[in-house]
Amino acid sequence: MHSLSRRILPWLDQRCGAGALEEFLRRKTVPIHRHSLWYYFGGMTLFLFVVQVLTGILLLLYYQPTPEDAFESVQYIVTQVRFGWLIRSVHSWSANLLVFTAFVHMFSVYFLKAYRKPRELTWISGMLLFFVVLGFGFSGYLLPWNTLAFFATKVGTEMAGAVPFVGKWFLIFLRGGEEVTGATLTRFFGFHVAVLPGLATVLLAMHLLLVQHLGMSLPPSLERAIAEGRQPARSMPFFPNFLLRDIMGWYAALGVLGALAAVFPWELGTKADPFAAAPAGIRPEWYFLFMFQTLKLLPAKVFFLEGEFAGLLGFSLAAAVWVAVPFLDYRAGFGRVTRFFTGLGVFALGFILVMSALALR
Ligand code: HEM
């Protein structure tokens, strides 16, 4: 491995004048401990994001964002374009895996308390990225203009419309009017291929630069053990050791993705008919199910508030607490674990899992 780095780094330096890159790659290390596995999930999310960009650009060569042509253009991609079905299937499967790995990455950095000082901004840029990833999922779902997507978007935007205080404005902003129409499709297309990619690029650059600048964090208990001399600090070079392991993970992910996309090609369903009645059992995508189920279970009135309003108020407050956790869990400073916030994380994870399972019954 070291002979590999000895050959590649001078080559990079000669070709690209990459002295700074070489210096960076030489210096960067990754800590080794029993939770090191979780360090791979950020890179895995990044890999799936790149898959999304590449397959998304290919889909754009044929996709047409109008209610008259959207469904037919996707039908053309999956039936006429060579390997079009595979590209569409990979894009859809990879979107779901990306949300999943982003969830795992978020909860793992939460439980490892990687948000502690000085990584507050890394956490906040990560949270904003997470909202952008959910936005990609929500806006992309409507684009094929099929029955399921149309009615799920109706329900989803209705939920957005019940958000406290700004709901009505938000609903009109998302739909481009009172109803889900061609104007909604135009907006969702704009969000999906222009606004969100722009935001994601800026946030990703910020997130990754911060991670490089600050280095990887250590779990608090290990940090204390090292400081008290009870355990030695162990690490491995990022290049090539960690990167090669990363690449093995990406290769495995590509295998899983290819298998899923080929064996279970993503369904297209039937073209949306805005005048038809909503089919039974309309649900949002799996990553919004926990909210959907909670709102369903709430009574019509919670104290003096409408049930849906109270539920969304609760979710908005919970999201605000989650974003602000580096500032609230301020006692989780050097080597101190604050049990309350660990408990809060366990509760949040349990709540999401139980509510999603109830919705899938
Ligand atoms: C598109 C989404 C995301 C991408 C591509 C991404 C990418 C990465 C990468 C490559 C790393 C370094 C390796 C690692 O720790 O796994 C990292 C670290 C980190 N990420 Fe993310 N991330 C994303 C979303 C998030 C989210 C949702 C959060 C949490 C709110 C988050 C918080 C962090 C933190 C705190 C670190 C530092 C970890 C440490 O120092 O131990 N990231 N991210």
Side-chain angles (χ1 to χ4, degrees), residues 96-254:
N96 285 277
L97 292 184
L98 167 63
V99 175
F100 176 73
T101 56
F103 256 113
V104 175
H105 176 53
M106 177 175 74
F107 274 105
S108 61
V109 293
Y110 181 90
F111 287 121
L112 290 173
K113 307 234 167 210
Y115 52 74
R116 288 171 302 146
K117 204 173 170 187
R119 292 181 179 76
E120 298 94 328
L121 264 186
T122 319
W123 171 264
I124 290 178
S125 58
M127 271 317 297
L128 295 177
L129 268 173
F130 190 69
F131 293 137
V132 166
V133 164
L134 295 182
F136 267 118
F138 189 59
S139 56
Y141 198 55
L142 180 68
L143 299 186
W145 201 250
N146 53 17
T147 308
L148 219 64
F150 178 83
F151 287 102
T153 304
K154 250 184 126 144
V155 176
T157 44
E158 239 155 48
M159 268 163 72
V163 166
F165 314 116
V166 290
K168 180 75 185 158
W169 174 87
F170 197 31
L171 179 131
I172 303 272
F173 171 72
L174 287 176
R175 290 186 175 177
E178 298 277 348
E179 295 296 326
V180 176
T181 60
T184 321
L185 182 59
T186 309
R187 285 195 178 198
F188 275 38
F189 180 67
F191 295 143
H192 198 75
V193 306
V195 179
L196 294 173
L199 281 175
T201 309
V202 174
L203 290 169
L204 255 183
M206 189 173 155
H207 194 65
L208 297 180
L209 282 174
L210 281 166
V211 172
Q212 303 322 324
H213 180 64
L214 298 169
M216 302 304 294
S217 71
L218 289 173
S221 55
L222 179 65
E223 207 169 52
R224 186 164 45 201
I226 293 172
E228 291 170 358
R230 283 184 282 116
Q231 227 169 304
R234 294 168 60 219
S235 64
M236 72 165 92
F238 173 76
F239 185 86
N241 306 47
F242 187 80
L243 186 62
L244 283 174
R245 285 169 170 79
D246 248 345
I247 292 174
M248 269 169 56
W250 301 346
Y251 188 54
L254 197 61

